[in-house]
Amino acid sequence: MALRIGLTGGVACGKSTVAEMLKAAGAHVLDADVIARELVAPGSPALQAIIAHFGPAFSAPGGGLDRAALRARIFADPAAKTWLEALLHPLIRATFITASAALAEQHPQTPLVWVVPLLVENDYRPLLDQVLVVDCPRSVQVERLRARPGWTKEQVTAVLAAQCDRAARNAAADWIITNEDTLTELQTQVGLYLRHLRGTGRFA
């Protein structure tokens, strides 16, 4: 059975960068954010439900979802966030399970990496063999988020508050990669993790 690795970390800690490094090393990567975008593609049942609930103002030109508008709404309105999570999270989880089963059948010796920002919060641990956390100090998260286009100070504060405590996330990890330095240092740490996996015989 293919090794299932849950990759998580706080927002702006570098999960996507680490996922790309693992993919380059030969792992299959499934990303919750990518799955979520596919679930709300134009014409999808999930998008139709979102527009019906929040209104046509959240529809982007071309019939897609105005993600910036929706992000601003859910971080300003806890009830809206709860409703959206109740809609999407079960669909995302089901997609992970179905896609992983298909990949594991085709490539039983290739690790599967599940990139799940809310892995701890949504109790994905029972579905996984191990958890890899990408970590960095909160000050670094704030700096990186403020550098992203369209992120206000209030949104940065809200998204950080919505995630679980850093210590609780790290406590759930089987392996922690710290990403607060250079890309070269991050590559070195990922390399150490890959050598560890290969040493266990679960990653050729």
Side-chain angles (χ1 to χ4, degrees):
M1 188 66 178
L3 178 69
R4 298 188 182 194
I5 302 165
L7 173 58
T8 192
V11 63
C13 282
K15 295 181 295 299
S16 295
T17 303
V18 171
E20 285 300 315
M21 292 177 181
L22 296 175
K23 182 178 180 179
H28 289 301
V29 174
L30 299 170
D31 191 314
D33 289 340
V34 174
I35 293 171
R37 284 194 291 271
E38 293 171 348
L39 287 171
V40 296
S44 66
L47 177 60
Q48 293 172 4
I50 290 169
I51 299 305
H53 184 80
F54 291 109
F58 291 86
S59 179
L65 176 66
D66 188 334
R67 297 174 63 85
L70 184 62
R71 182 176 66 236
R73 172 66 182 273
I74 65 174
F75 286 122
D77 182 352
K81 180 174 181 291
T82 298
W83 182 90
L84 185 66
E85 289 177 346
L87 171 70
L88 292 181
H89 285 180
L91 299 175
I92 293 170
R93 182 185 291 257
T95 302
F96 267 121
I97 293 170
T98 302
S100 289
L103 285 169
E105 183 175 355
Q106 297 170 17
H107 309 281
Q109 300 305 314
T110 303
L112 298 167
V113 177
W114 296 17
V115 186
V116 190
L118 301 180
L119 185 152
V120 175
E121 295 88 329
N122 289 328
D123 195 28
Y124 271 77
R125 189 63 178 88
L127 301 174
L128 301 161
D129 296 304
Q130 61 177 255
V131 172
L132 171 63
V133 169
V134 185
D135 181 56
C136 71
R138 186 183 181 93
S139 59
V140 175
Q141 290 178 274
V142 171
E143 181 181 352
R144 291 172 179 169
L145 286 172
R146 292 300 303 275
R148 293 180 180 179
W151 281 76
T152 66
K153 181 179 179 181
E154 292 73 23
Q155 287 175 337
V156 170
T157 299
V159 72
L160 289 173
Q163 296 194 325
C164 77
D165 178 73
R166 179 186 179 191
R169 184 187 301 112
N170 288 349
D174 295 290
W175 191 281
I176 298 174
I177 289 174
T178 302
N179 179 28
E180 58 177 307
D181 203 338
T182 65
L183 181 61
T184 299
E185 172 59 26
L186 181 61
Q187 290 171 328
T188 297
Q189 291 196 53
V190 172
L192 289 172
Y193 177 64
L194 287 169
R195 283 198 289 276
H196 161 72
L197 286 184
R198 289 172 177 135
T200 67
R202 300 295 300 273
F203 192 174

